[in-house]
Amino acid sequence: MSGTETTGIQAPSRAEYCVVACAEAWRDAGEILASPMGTVPAIGARLARLTFSPELLLTDGEALLIADTPAVGAKPGSVEGWLPFRQHLTLTATGRRHVMMGASQIDRHGNQNISCIGDWARPTRQLLGVRGAPVNTLNNPTSYWVPKHSARVFVERVDMVSGVGYDRAAAAGPSATRFHRIPEVVSNLGVFDFETPDRSMRLRSLHPGVSLEQVTAATGFALTVPDEVPFTREPTPAELRLIREVIDPKGLREREVPA
């Protein structure tokens, strides 16, 4: 029985475990800009700011640094700064930012693709394009959020490199590795990192209700799996209240990660 069940609070959903896992990416981050992309990461960044990372900087998604921590989708009640696009790019280059991006494909060394599927000359699918992924990955910590874990996303080799992984950064030399870091990958099945000798992807934790067999079957390459794999930590009662009543009262998280 979970701790939340013993206090009479409804047990955490899979989406809420994902929120907490995303929030952990910004634990004790200090005064840096959080750039979450996706509903669950946005909730996670707000949760981190309201709990263990109070100095975290958040934007309204456009050009304003917000002083309060509004619910997802709500307008800020107060503003503390102006951050137009050109200044945002300058901030990115200083390393004082931790972005959590999505990934149409990600491989064993953390190379990410959001540009196209298939051969570059004749792709079968055109996606967003490279966007700012190379600059993100080479200049500031970059984590990833994948709401639907499958072998189509977790692939042996990405069709095109948008975000730079550990192997390619190492091949490019010190100028690429100096600030390159991928703290974690969070999916609807578990949490992953690259804390291995060859910087290949490791399973860090399973979300409760998920089996190791489910994860390995949904991954297109061989993961590094520790002898004992813990479960993703459970949200505290205080964190659940913040998620459910303050940050995401409309339950948008459950649409991104259905029960």
Side-chain angles (χ1 to χ4, degrees):
M1 182 177 291
S2 70
T4 52
E5 289 172 324
T6 62
T7 58
I9 301 172
Q10 182 181 356
S13 66
R14 177 75 60 80
E16 289 163 343
Y17 278 103
C18 292
V19 166
V20 166
C22 289
E24 286 290 345
W26 290 288
R27 178 175 283 275
D28 301 325
E31 193 177 12
I32 69 165
L33 179 65
S35 294
M37 301 180 185
T39 299
V40 165
I43 299 168
R46 284 164 168 76
L47 180 63
R49 187 181 193 181
L50 290 172
T51 53
F52 43 71
S53 296
E55 296 180 340
L56 206 61
L57 302 177
L58 296 174
T59 76
D60 65 345
E62 295 184 9
L64 299 176
L65 286 170
I66 57 178
D68 59 349
T69 309
V72 172
K75 293 183 178 180
S78 58
V79 173
E80 64 179 355
W82 168 242
L83 192 67
F85 192 62
R86 62 182 180 277
Q87 292 182 9
H88 197 137
L89 291 178
T90 301
L91 183 66
T92 299
T94 67
R96 296 181 58 215
R97 176 176 181 253
H98 184 163
V99 58
M100 183 170 284
M101 299 180 68
S104 300
Q105 292 179 328
I106 188 166
D107 68 22
R108 64 191 305 120
H109 290 290
N111 296 290
Q112 170 243 34
N113 175 24
I114 53 171
S115 185
C116 65
I117 301 298
D119 183 78
W120 168 253
R122 292 185 64 85
T124 58
R125 293 287 187 276
Q126 177 64 54
L127 306 175
L128 288 172
V130 172
R131 311 287 288 193
V135 175
N136 287 340
T137 48
L138 295 183
N139 287 280
N140 49 234
T142 302
S143 294
Y144 294 105
W145 161 241
V146 179
K148 295 181 180 180
H149 191 129
S150 76
R152 295 179 63 183
V153 179
F154 288 75
V155 296
E156 181 68 37
R157 183 182 178 88
V158 297
D159 292 339
M160 178 183 173
V161 176
S162 302
V164 179
Y166 279 103
D167 57 341
R168 287 179 174 269
S175 63
T177 58
R178 184 180 180 187
F179 301 114
H180 178 268
R181 186 164 70 91
I182 307 173
E184 65 180 41
V185 178
V186 181
S187 82
N188 63 316
L189 299 184
V191 183
F192 310 82
D193 61 26
F194 299 89
E195 300 301 318
T196 56
D198 65 347
R199 290 296 196 175
S200 59
M201 193 180 292
R202 178 185 73 161
L203 176 60
R204 183 196 295 176
S205 69
L206 291 167
H207 300 326
V210 177
S211 69
L212 176 59
E213 290 73 23
Q214 281 180 274
V215 173
T216 55
T219 304
F221 52 85
L223 285 164
T224 296
V225 179
D227 292 336
E228 294 186 11
V229 181
F231 285 117
T232 303
R233 82 163 178 88
E234 183 173 301
T236 66
E239 288 172 333
L240 282 177
R241 185 191 68 79
L242 287 171
I243 294 169
R244 295 170 179 178
E245 300 177 16
V246 177
I247 305 172
D248 185 29
K250 295 182 179 178
L252 299 178
R253 62 194 179 280
E254 305 297 339
R255 300 181 192 177
E256 193 164 55
V257 185

